């Protein structure tokens, strides 16, 4: 502290020089000490500021990504876009079989959670068919979802509730349902019952795809004749239809079917596709019975099991009593035998993956 005043208590007889009276005087106020921390930077303040700024940037990036990403957000989002209930959630899985027949999980892995999801879908469809007194189910999708696997597994599961089920492969360009049963294509007109091919599933027959015509709209009389012939001896007809946004073949099929099931993919389907697909089937909206959300959750490897619980055994061997009479179990001989290299083959818990 500097002061321009002279120090007190100075009583000299002689007057001080002018320069001495105006000289500043220093007084010690606080003794100096060595600091224990730097004055800058202040790590507490810097970390708090970084946390606030980082959180704001993260929330902003997440909101922007959610706004730009058009994929589905789950079953509730699917119901909101289609206006119909979600009948089943099919878990995502990896098949240990490298051929396409490994997608037929109702036969290859009958005690997995994926097969159980198809059996739950079967129960809801049986109720809908009974309520509507319908015999024709159309399985389609907005784009390139795996509707072939859904249609094939659903048809195999429905044999537990119906005596005779026919799977009609009405997608000659992209349909693959017949490949799941190791059936080839057939170059013939769809006007008779003779081309029906038997499968390894008791009570299930498949009508492979026919030749591709230049004008899909001209196929409606042929399809009407073929379905009329099949209805004569089939309890339920499952039709694998082309995608709604990629083919004009879907129009005559939606007019002929009595129930329509839409397949969406949890990883690939978008909201815009679903909204456009619903406009395509707006004239037959009353036939929509629900949606199936496929490829849900984390992918898993399916395991085969030797043993089964009493409840599962009764479910696989006895038919449902809601509609019609039953047939023997769809799990063919040896379908539950473990595959080579399967680490879970000796597990006794038949209800888990």
């Amino acid at each position: 502290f500097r002061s321009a005043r002279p120090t007190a208590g100075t009583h000299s007889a002689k007057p001080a020089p002018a320069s001495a009276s105006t000289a500043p005087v220093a007084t010690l106020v606080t003794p100096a000490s060595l600091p224990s921390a730097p004055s800058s930077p202040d790590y507490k303040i810097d970390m708090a500021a970084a946390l606030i700024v980082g959180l704001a940037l993260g929330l902003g990036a997440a909101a922007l990504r959610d706004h730009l990403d058009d994929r589905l957000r789950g079953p509730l989002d699917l119901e909101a876009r289609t206006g119909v209930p979600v009948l089943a959630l099919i878990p995502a899985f990896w098949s240990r079989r490298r051929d396409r027949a490994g997608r037929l999980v109702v036969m290859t892995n009958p005690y997995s959670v994926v097969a159980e999801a198809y059996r739950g879908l079967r129960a809801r469809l049986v109720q809908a068919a009974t309520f509507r007194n319908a015999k024709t189910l159309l399985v389609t999708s907005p784009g390139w979802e795996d509707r072939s696997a859904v249609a094939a597994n659903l048809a195999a599961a429905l044999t537990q509730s119906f005596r005779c089920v026919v799977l009609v492969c009405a997608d000659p360009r992209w349909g693959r349902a017949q490949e799941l049963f190791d059936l080839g294509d057939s170059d013939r007109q769809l006007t008779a019952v003779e081309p029906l091919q038997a499968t390894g599933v008791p009570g299930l027959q498949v009508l492979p795809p026919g030749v591709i015509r230049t004008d899909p709209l001209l196929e409606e009389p042929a399809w009407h004749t073929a379905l009329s012939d099949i209805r004569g001896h089939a309890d339920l007809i499952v039709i694998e239809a082309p995608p709604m946004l990629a083919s004009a073949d879907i129009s005559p099929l939606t007019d002929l079917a009595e129930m329509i099931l839409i397949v969406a993919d949890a990883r690939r389907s978008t909201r815009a596709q679903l909204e456009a697909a619903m406009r395509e089937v707006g004239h037959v909206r009353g036939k929509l019975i629900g949606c199936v959300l496929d490829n849900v959750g984390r992918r898993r490897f399916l395991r085969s099991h030797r043993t089964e619980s009493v409840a599962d055994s009764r479910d696989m061997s006895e038919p449902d009593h809601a509609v019609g009479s039953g047939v023997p179990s769809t799990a063919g001989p040896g379908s539950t035998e473990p595959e080579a290299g399967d680490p879970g083959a000796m597990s006794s818990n038949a209800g888990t993956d």
Side-chain angles (χ1 to χ4, degrees):
F1 175 77
R2 296 189 306 169
S3 175
R5 298 178 182 180
T7 58
T10 303
H11 303 283
S12 176
K14 296 181 179 180
S19 59
S21 61
T22 59
V25 178
T27 304
L28 181 62
V29 178
T30 302
S33 61
L34 184 64
S36 59
S39 59
S40 178
D42 192 337
Y43 292 107
K44 294 182 179 180
I45 296 179
D46 292 348
M47 291 179 65
L51 180 62
I52 295 175
V53 174
L55 182 61
L57 291 177
L59 292 176
L64 180 62
R65 183 175 179 180
D66 180 76
H67 178 72
L68 298 178
D69 191 0
D70 197 35
R71 291 179 298 178
L72 291 174
R73 297 299 186 271
L76 295 181
D77 192 12
L78 179 58
E79 290 184 354
R81 302 294 169 178
T82 59
V84 293
V86 175
L87 301 182
L89 303 178
I90 309 300
F93 67 94
W94 295 104
S95 177
R96 296 186 182 274
R97 297 184 57 175
R98 298 186 179 275
D99 56 348
R100 188 166 180 82
R103 301 290 298 176
L104 192 63
V105 293
V106 173
M107 297 300 299
T108 58
N109 301 90
Y111 307 112
S112 62
V113 293
V114 181
E116 186 64 27
Y118 280 112
R119 286 191 288 269
L121 175 61
R122 174 199 65 190
R124 294 175 176 88
L125 288 177
V126 167
Q127 294 177 357
T130 305
F131 178 77
R132 295 170 177 255
N133 194 20
K135 297 179 63 175
T136 307
L137 172 66
L138 183 72
V139 180
T140 184
S141 63
W144 308 113
E145 294 79 3
D146 196 4
R147 64 196 173 280
S148 298
V150 174
N153 283 278
L154 180 57
L158 285 170
T159 57
Q160 295 294 319
S161 301
F162 297 92
R163 182 182 300 275
C164 180
V165 178
V166 176
L167 174 61
V168 178
C169 303
D171 187 4
R173 295 177 179 86
W174 307 289
R176 295 293 182 269
Q178 71 280 359
E179 297 180 2
L180 275 67
F181 300 95
D182 295 329
L183 301 178
D185 295 340
S186 177
D187 297 332
R188 40 90 186 119
Q189 304 293 328
L190 301 179
T191 57
V193 181
E194 285 76 11
L196 292 178
Q197 300 185 17
T199 64
V201 183
L204 178 61
Q205 294 177 302
V206 175
L207 184 66
V211 296
I212 302 175
R213 302 190 180 186
T214 56
D215 190 358
L217 296 178
L218 298 178
E219 295 183 358
E220 186 169 359
W223 278 114
H224 188 276
T225 304
L227 292 179
S228 298
D229 294 340
I230 297 174
R231 283 192 184 100
H233 73 285
D235 296 328
L236 186 67
I237 303 173
V238 180
I239 304 175
E240 179 203 2
M244 290 182 284
L245 302 180
S247 175
D249 299 16
I250 188 67
S251 180
L253 293 176
T254 54
D255 295 334
L256 296 175
E258 298 171 299
M259 300 181 296
I260 299 177
L261 181 67
I262 299 178
V263 178
D265 193 295
R267 289 181 170 84
R268 301 176 60 181
S269 300
T270 63
R271 299 172 178 175
Q273 290 177 347
L274 285 169
E275 293 174 356
M278 295 307 298
R279 290 192 294 267
E280 291 290 329
V281 295
H283 63 291
V284 290
R285 192 176 184 87
K287 298 181 179 181
L288 295 176
I289 60 173
C291 299
V292 173
L293 188 59
D294 189 24
N295 206 17
V296 178
R298 180 179 57 86
R299 292 185 183 273
R300 68 190 73 191
F301 276 104
L302 300 184
R303 302 174 182 175
S304 299
H305 303 277
R306 289 181 179 272
T307 59
E308 59 186 86
S309 63
V310 176
D312 289 339
S313 177
R314 184 181 301 111
D315 180 74
M316 292 298 295
S317 60
E318 295 182 0
D320 294 340
H321 298 285
V323 178
S325 58
V327 294
S329 173
T330 59
S335 61
T336 59
E337 287 297 322
E339 302 173 5
D342 189 355
M346 301 302 295
S347 174
S348 62
N349 187 0
T352 58
D353 284 346

